Amino acid sequence: MTLQELMTRWNGYQIEMRRWFHQHPEESTKEVRTAERIRAELDRAGIPWRPCGLGTGTLARIEGAQPGRTILLRGDIDALSVNEETGLPYASEVPGVMHACGHDCHISMLLTAAMIVNEIRDHLKGTIVFAFQPAEELGLGARAMIEEGALEGVDACFGMHVWSDYPAGTVALRKGPMMASGDQFKIHVRGKSTHGAQPQLGADALIMGAAIAQNLQTIVSRETYPGDTAVVTVGKFHSGTRFNVVAGTAELEGTTRTFSPAVRDRFEEQITRIARSTAEAMRGTADVEYLRIVPVTVNDPGMIDVVTGAAGKIFGDKGVIEADLQMGGEDFAFYQEKVPGAMVLLGVRNEACDAVWPQHHGCYKVDESVLVKGAALHVQTALDFLGVDLQ
């Protein structure tokens, strides 16, 4: 049976699974029911699996009739704290939680790929590992699965993310850096509270925090080579208790993004230095917590060549396009630090079905008719990497 015939056969299953997972979203590290359904589907097909990663991760494995290399295919499974506003008949049944980043698609595509591979396992030369990964949104899941042995014996890895920026029926990829590192910082500012009518008796932490937020922008404009892409964003600023009281404390939180590991390594020192010196100049103090969440997602050139060839078979040459650099982060990067890997973007934008909203929006939708092609891309990439021809 050809892959095209298998796509037709499993398309209904793909859509059914995607809609079930969309209706039953669970936040990062809480994907209990999600994991139960994934494992039930694998059991039904007779595909062996084991728990791997934070209790809700699942690692399935299909070994071919002949020995060969091993490739890991990954799909993340967690949802977001977003209230769904789509009005779809299969909208989230969980108030305030939604698959607004498309991970429901990732689960169903990987499950469908597993079902297809299971049918052709006698043709396989080598092994395909299916990683249903929790907690991608927190940057925790990949590391947890790796720590529990997900990459043992694995020669390469492949991941895919549905993407609303690209037209449905296309797949976007690029060699080298693909998605930015994503880290978080928290700044705790301490001054001295006093009456608002007597500011000279205190040290205004609100003003210190405002100055720190402004001065942090010089990291990009004055301390980073203009040819490097970098972002320093303060997204949260809390200070003050009352209109006529000088604030004694301030709390800032933000994120950094870059495609350069060297730039990333400098952020913590730069933010700490600027925060402390700014506060000190205003008679206060500042402490910084810097959390390294996900590194730069770097696509292996050889793996991208494999995926490019596989994508051409599924989408046609015109359906394979070069991806733009993405400032969003991906913990798939942790797998790529260990073995050669490729992360690509599956276009799901289609105005005809109102699939025009960005990721993380309450109205986020996808053109689910192309998801079976995503499942097929998992399969074709694995087959090409293992040197298996179904024809």
Side-chain angles (χ1 to χ4, degrees):
M1 186 173 286
T2 67
L3 184 53
Q4 183 60 53
E5 291 171 331
L6 290 165
M7 288 168 59
T8 300
R9 176 172 175 173
W10 287 98
N11 185 47
Y13 176 84
Q14 157 71 64
I15 293 174
E16 176 191 351
M17 287 295 101
R18 185 257 163 167
R19 292 184 177 186
W20 189 92
F21 288 113
H22 191 85
Q23 278 186 302
H24 305 93
E26 295 173 300
E27 296 167 287
S28 303
T29 73
K30 302 176 182 178
E31 311 95 333
V32 176
R33 192 175 182 187
T34 301
E36 289 175 350
R37 183 62 188 267
I38 291 169
R39 294 166 183 178
E41 293 299 317
L42 294 171
D43 283 340
R44 191 172 294 115
I47 299 172
W49 59 269
R50 68 173 177 88
C52 182
L54 303 176
T56 53
T58 302
L59 197 70
R61 186 181 186 92
I62 298 179
E63 297 182 359
Q66 304 176 55
R69 296 192 292 178
T70 299
I71 184 170
L72 178 142
L73 308 177
R74 177 269 212 167
D76 39 8
I77 68 174
D78 51 332
L80 292 164
S81 302
V82 172
N83 193 53
E84 181 153 0
E85 304 171 23
T86 64
L88 292 168
Y90 51 89
S92 171
E93 296 180 354
V94 184
V97 184
M98 176 190 175
H99 271 296
C101 199
H103 295 190
D104 52 334
C105 305
H106 302 167
I107 305 168
S108 61
M109 288 191 298
L110 193 58
L111 262 181
T112 303
M115 300 304 159
I116 292 174
V117 169
N118 200 41
E119 283 207 27
I120 60 172
R121 63 192 310 160
D122 290 342
H123 298 276
L124 281 189
K125 181 175 63 177
T127 300
I128 302 177
V129 177
F130 303 84
F132 296 90
Q133 181 206 299
E136 184 277 332
E137 295 291 350
L138 297 181
L140 300 176
R143 282 182 288 184
M145 294 195 81
I146 292 168
E147 288 171 1
E148 295 185 25
L151 290 178
E152 290 179 5
V154 170
D155 299 297
C157 60
F158 174 67
M160 188 181 341
H161 205 304
V162 293
W163 212 252
S164 58
D165 292 347
Y166 297 112
T170 62
V171 61
L173 41 74
R174 67 181 298 125
K175 296 179 179 180
M178 172 75 169
M179 305 182 81
S181 62
D183 296 334
Q184 180 183 8
F185 60 86
K186 299 179 182 180
I187 303 174
H188 311 280
V189 182
R190 290 181 297 278
K192 182 181 178 182
S193 183
T194 186
H195 196 292
Q198 299 175 303
Q200 76 280 6
L201 301 180
D204 196 333
L206 190 153
I207 299 300
M208 296 178 207
I212 290 170
Q214 179 170 312
N215 290 344
L216 288 179
Q217 298 311 305
T218 63
I219 293 174
V220 176
S221 67
R222 288 297 176 267
E223 296 192 28
T224 302
Y225 170 60
D228 288 329
T229 301
V231 171
V232 178
T233 293
V234 176
K236 188 175 179 180
F237 185 173
H238 288 169
S239 185
T241 58
R242 183 178 166 83
F243 78 97
N244 62 347
V245 176
V246 170
T249 62
E251 304 287 332
L252 293 78
E253 293 186 30
T255 187
T256 62
R257 306 292 167 121
T258 185
F259 297 108
S260 166
V263 171
R264 184 193 188 206
D265 287 341
R266 292 196 295 267
F267 278 140
E268 182 174 3
E269 182 278 327
Q270 292 168 319
I271 292 170
T272 301
R273 168 171 42 82
I274 289 172
R276 288 178 175 174
S277 60
T278 301
E280 183 179 353
M282 298 181 174
R283 298 176 292 125
T285 62
D287 293 320
V288 176
E289 296 179 60
Y290 193 89
L291 308 174
R292 294 171 71 93
I293 299 176
V294 293
V296 182
T297 301
V298 182
N299 282 335
D300 178 78
M303 276 302 296
I304 287 295
D305 287 340
V306 172
V307 179
T308 300
K313 298 172 185 177
I314 305 298
F315 296 89
D317 292 339
K318 292 184 178 180
V320 183
I321 60 178
E322 184 171 3
D324 298 321
L325 288 167
Q326 303 293 333
M327 294 308 293
E330 242 293 353
D331 76 346
F332 185 78
F334 287 112
Y335 301 108
Q336 293 174 306
E337 288 185 330
K338 305 293 185 181
V339 298
M343 165 60 68
V344 305
L345 306 177
L346 176 65
V348 291
R349 183 181 183 87
N350 186 346
E351 293 182 3
C353 58
D354 196 38
V356 297
W357 302 91
Q359 251 92 357
H360 293 207
H361 193 285
C363 292
Y364 179 71
K365 299 177 184 177
V366 305
D367 181 351
E368 63 184 6
S369 70
V370 303
L371 298 182
V372 73
K373 289 188 174 183
L377 181 57
H378 272 306
V379 177
Q380 191 67 64
T381 296
L383 293 179
D384 288 356
F385 177 78
L386 298 175
V388 176
D389 187 355
L390 287 183
Q391 303 301 325

